[in-house]
Amino acid sequence: MSRPEGTALRPRLERALAAWLPWQRWFGGKGRPVAGVEVEQLVELVDQRASGGPLGLLAVVAVRFADGGDAERYQVPIGVRTALPDRLAPAVLAGFDGCVVYDATGDAELNAVLLRLIGQRAGRGGVGFTPEPSFAGASKRGLVGRPIGAEQSNTSIVYGDRYILKLYRRVAAGLNPDLEAHRALRRARSRHIAPLLGSIEGEVGGEPATFGMLQAFAANAAEGWAMAMTSVRDLFADTDADPDAAGADFAAEARRLGGAVAAVHADLARELGTGTADPRSVADDMLAHLEPALVAVPGLAPYADRLRAAFAGVGALRERVPVQRVHGDLHLGQVLRTPATWLLIDFEGEPAAPIAERTEPRSPLRDVAGVLRSLDYAAQHQLRLFHPTPELRRRARRWTAHNREAFTAGYAEAAGVDPAGRLLTAFELEKAVYEAVYETRNRPDWVDIPLRAVRRLLGEEDLDDR
C-alpha cells in the first residue's frame, strides 16, 4: 500500500469521503450537494502495522459544495488495516491496495493512542496533544475508549468511567469556545464543570484551531432532561398529587440548577470580562430575527404585531444591558446532575456559526431563557406520550410554572438579582420564535409547543385551557 503521505492515497480518499461524509450525523452540510473534498492535512499518529495493528491518521478535509457557498472543514480520524474486525464494518470508508480505510473513532486501539498522546504531551505533524498539570506524564494504558452514539455535532470517546475526549468534527480557525470557557472556569475553580484534563490543537488554513478536549468523566451523573421528564411522568401518573408533592418533584433540583447557572455566569464574568450593550441594538437584533420567522411560520402571523411590540419595548429600556460570555445554548440536555452538584457541559455554541459570533458577549438572561423554555418542552414532550386531556394539560402547566419559579429563585439567590422582567420575557419570546421555525422545518406536528409559549408569554389564554 502507498504511504498515506504520498500522492496515491489522497485522491482515492477524497472520493471516498465525498460519498461518505453526507451520511454522517455530525455533517453540517446536509441537503447541499457536495462538489468535492480536499484532504488538507493527513497526519500520521501511530503505525502499528508491523505488529499486526492499525495505522492511525488524522485527516482534516475541506468540503466544497455545488451551490458555491463557503467550504466547511471537518476532522476525520482514520484507521487503516489489512483485516478489519466485524465490529468496525459500519465505519468503512473504502478499500484499496489490500487494505481497509475506516473512521477510527470506534477503534479501541487507536482511541487508546489519542489518550496516551495527550498524557505524553506529544506532537504529531503540527498537531499538539497538551495535558493539564494533573494529567501530564500519564500513559493511561489499559483503558478502552468507546464512542458515545447520541451526539449530533461531535464525537466523544469515553475511557472506562474516568475520562471523556470530545473530538470536534467541524473545525474552524480560532480557539473553540468550549475549550476557552473550560479553561476560564478551571482558573475560577468552578464546581460546575467537569475538570479539564487536556486538549488537541493544531492549525486549519494557517490559523490555530481546536481538534479535541479531554475532561474527567462524570460517572453516576443524570441528564437534566431525563430527570425533568421523569418528574412530569410521575406527576401525570399520580392524578391526586400536586406538582410540589409528586413522587419525583423536580423543584428542589431546579432551584439548585438555577444557583449553578448563576455561579457559572459569575465565574465567566470574572475571568473573561463584562460589558454593556445598547438596549436598542438588542431590540434591533430581535426584530431582525423575527421578520424571516414570520415568513417561515404562518402560525406566528396572529401575534406579529405584539411580538414586534415586545421586542421594540426592549429598546425603550433606560439602562444598558449587561453582557458577558455565556453558555450560549443552555437547556436541560446540557446539564448533568452528579451526586455532588450540577455540571454545565458543551459550551461550544452553534458549530456552524463563526467563532467570533459564538464568543460575542451576550446577556446572561439568554441562558436563563433557554432553561425556562426547556422546562416547558419537558412538560409538553411528556404530555404527548399520554392522552392530552384538559386535566393533564392543566397539570403540565402547573409543573412548568412550579419549576420555572424554583429555577429563577435559585438563580436570583446566587446572582443577587431577580432575572424576571421585560428583558427575560423578550428573550423567552425570541427563543420560542426560533423554536417555531425549527419545528416547522423539522417536526411540523410539534410547532404547537412554541406557539403555545408565544401565546402564554404575550398574556393570552390558550383555547385548550379554558
Side-chain angles (χ1 to χ4, degrees), residues 82-291:
T82 54
L84 195 70
D86 290 343
R87 59 184 169 77
L88 294 176
V92 170
L93 282 165
F96 35 73
D97 292 346
C99 293
V100 181
V101 180
Y102 57 97
D103 180 299
T105 53
D107 189 326
E109 290 182 63
L110 293 179
N111 287 341
V113 169
L114 294 173
L115 189 67
R116 199 158 57 243
L117 291 174
I118 294 174
Q120 295 170 351
R121 196 181 296 272
R124 294 288 189 275
V127 178
F129 296 80
T130 306
E132 294 299 310
S134 62
F135 198 77
S139 66
K140 310 306 176 188
R141 292 184 181 276
L143 284 178
V144 175
R146 57 178 177 82
I148 296 175
E151 289 182 295
Q152 295 296 320
S153 301
N154 302 301
T155 299
S156 289
I157 300 165
V158 174
Y159 299 86
D161 61 353
R162 298 178 65 185
Y163 312 114
I164 181 168
L165 174 63
K166 181 189 295 185
L167 297 175
Y168 300 107
R169 289 293 197 163
R170 180 93 177 258
V171 291
L175 179 61
N176 190 289
D178 200 12
L179 180 57
E180 182 183 27
H182 276 87
R183 283 175 173 166
L185 292 167
R186 178 204 60 198
R187 293 193 301 269
R189 301 180 182 275
S190 173
R191 297 175 54 246
H192 301 296
I193 58 166
L196 178 66
L197 299 177
S199 61
I200 306 174
E201 297 178 272
E203 290 187 354
V204 294
E207 299 291 333
T210 308
F211 294 159
M213 181 177 71
L214 181 71
Q215 294 177 274
F217 180 65
N220 301 316
E223 187 187 71
W225 175 259
M227 292 176 65
M229 289 280 284
T230 298
S231 174
V232 180
R233 182 199 65 201
D234 287 359
L235 178 64
F236 286 176
D238 185 358
T239 56
D240 294 326
D242 288 330
D244 57 355
D249 181 29
F250 187 66
E253 292 300 341
R255 188 182 186 101
R256 294 186 187 101
L257 176 59
V261 172
V264 167
H265 283 163
D267 287 339
L268 288 173
R270 282 193 298 272
E271 295 296 329
L272 297 178
T274 62
T276 61
D278 186 334
R280 289 172 296 183
S281 69
V282 177
D284 289 345
D285 185 59
M286 292 176 169
L287 290 165
H289 287 98
L290 173 63
E291 295 308 319

